[in-house]
Amino acid sequence: MTGIVFACVAPHGSEIVEDLAGSTPELMASTRASLQALGKAARAASLDAMIVLTPHGTRVEGQFALADSERMAGEVESHGVTLTMERRVDRTLARSVAQAAEADGLRVASLNFATSEGPFSNLPLDWGVIIPLHFMPDVPVVVINPPRGTDLAPHERFGAALARAARESGKRVGLIASCDWSHTHDASGPYGFHEAAARLDGAVVDAMKRGDLEALATFDATFVEDAKPDGLWQTLVLAGAIPREARHVDVLSYEAPTYFGLLCARVTSTA
């Protein structure tokens, strides 16, 4: 079997990685255990490449930003400890995804830096990629930043194009929707407190348990702004990649131990 053979929704809070948790390793222990289980499943899938949808990489307004450098590297620092990571980019798969999306009339920006290839062709890995990949097999990556905003219609179409490119690649491909959820759970957090945070995260967990990822596209814009999630856009791409009629979602855990929500779910296809 080729195409998308592993998929998940995974968070990216730095303290999920035990070495970055400082004196409180128990803070995100439930999420850490879930990511370890997802990583085990990904390794069992014998992946050739991993596609990561991140909200925190290089953004291009109104376009799907896709890394087409030779490699990517970055670091995450927390509690005086630094986690570094470098990955090669599966440029053949990245370009196939871009071409499939463009053929469907979607706007895609393919990004590189400095030189077309070689050691200087290197874009940064953001924490939205590094944290979930820390638990995953070391395979070449394709990193994509979906556009934000209230126009959610293109995201499912992009997911369908992505899945088509993965199938046609002849490779076994993993897909991570890197998502933290509402960021207004705690008054001491950088975005303050809003009661919408608990309501939105509850609605997300319920929709995930039903396998109804498309429900996230129906959230009112004010509701989203008050709760401040960063997972809607990546999840809707995942929804397009694994259609509802062939989708099963297993929610492994949800917690909000600080100001933002953390959810882990495995998404499998029955097709």
Side-chain angles (χ1 to χ4, degrees):
M1 180 179 176
T2 59
I4 298 172
V5 298
F6 169 83
C8 69
V9 177
H12 47 257
S14 61
E15 290 165 312
I16 300 168
V17 177
E18 189 167 0
D19 289 347
L20 301 180
S23 61
T24 57
E26 72 282 358
L27 185 68
M28 298 181 181
S30 177
T31 298
R32 184 179 306 123
S34 294
L35 264 167
Q36 289 167 344
L38 290 171
K40 182 178 180 180
R43 286 187 289 276
S46 301
L47 301 178
D48 298 308
M50 182 75 83
I51 298 174
V52 186
L53 307 166
T54 175
H56 296 305
T58 303
R59 300 186 191 177
V60 179
E61 189 69 26
Q63 299 185 55
F64 292 87
L66 189 149
D68 184 22
S69 53
E70 188 164 301
R71 60 194 179 94
M72 302 183 76
E75 62 182 37
V76 178
E77 190 278 332
S78 180
H79 297 283
V81 176
T82 301
L83 172 66
T84 62
M85 181 176 288
E86 180 175 329
R87 292 287 187 270
R88 293 196 67 82
V89 175
D90 188 329
R91 301 183 83 176
T92 301
L93 180 58
R95 290 169 181 176
S96 295
V97 171
Q99 290 165 5
E102 289 168 346
D104 287 354
L106 296 163
R107 300 179 66 198
V108 179
S110 294
L111 309 175
N112 198 352
F113 177 78
T115 58
S116 60
E117 57 187 30
F120 295 110
S121 176
N122 183 31
L123 284 167
L125 278 178
D126 66 87
W127 67 97
V129 179
I130 292 173
I131 297 301
L133 278 189
H134 174 75
F135 297 88
M136 300 292 161
D138 185 354
V139 295
V141 299
V142 175
V143 175
I144 302 169
N145 193 323
R148 297 248 192 159
T150 57
D151 183 9
L152 301 175
H155 293 68
E156 290 180 49
R157 292 171 53 213
F158 184 88
L162 181 157
R164 187 170 70 250
R167 285 194 303 272
E168 294 173 356
S169 73
K171 297 176 180 179
R172 296 176 61 83
V173 179
L175 177 61
I176 300 173
S178 178
C179 307
D180 288 340
W181 294 97
S182 297
H183 283 63
T184 56
H185 283 280
D186 192 328
S188 64
Y191 307 103
F193 172 80
H194 200 287
E195 56 84 23
R199 289 197 294 117
L200 187 141
D201 282 10
V204 169
V205 172
D206 287 346
M208 292 268 186
K209 288 180 176 179
R210 298 193 309 270
D212 185 13
L213 306 184
E214 292 81 0
L216 277 61
T218 68
F219 292 168
D220 177 78
T222 300
F223 184 36
V224 172
E225 176 57 29
D226 289 341
K228 292 182 169 49
D230 71 12
L232 300 181
W233 302 269
Q234 301 86 262
T235 301
L236 289 170
V237 173
L238 176 55
I242 302 180
R244 186 199 307 259
E245 63 273 12
R247 179 192 309 143
H248 174 75
V249 181
D250 181 17
V251 175
L252 278 63
S253 62
Y254 170 82
E255 60 180 343
T258 61
Y259 65 92
F260 56 95
L262 306 167
L263 183 150
C264 292
R266 185 170 180 191
V267 183
T268 54
S269 174
T270 59

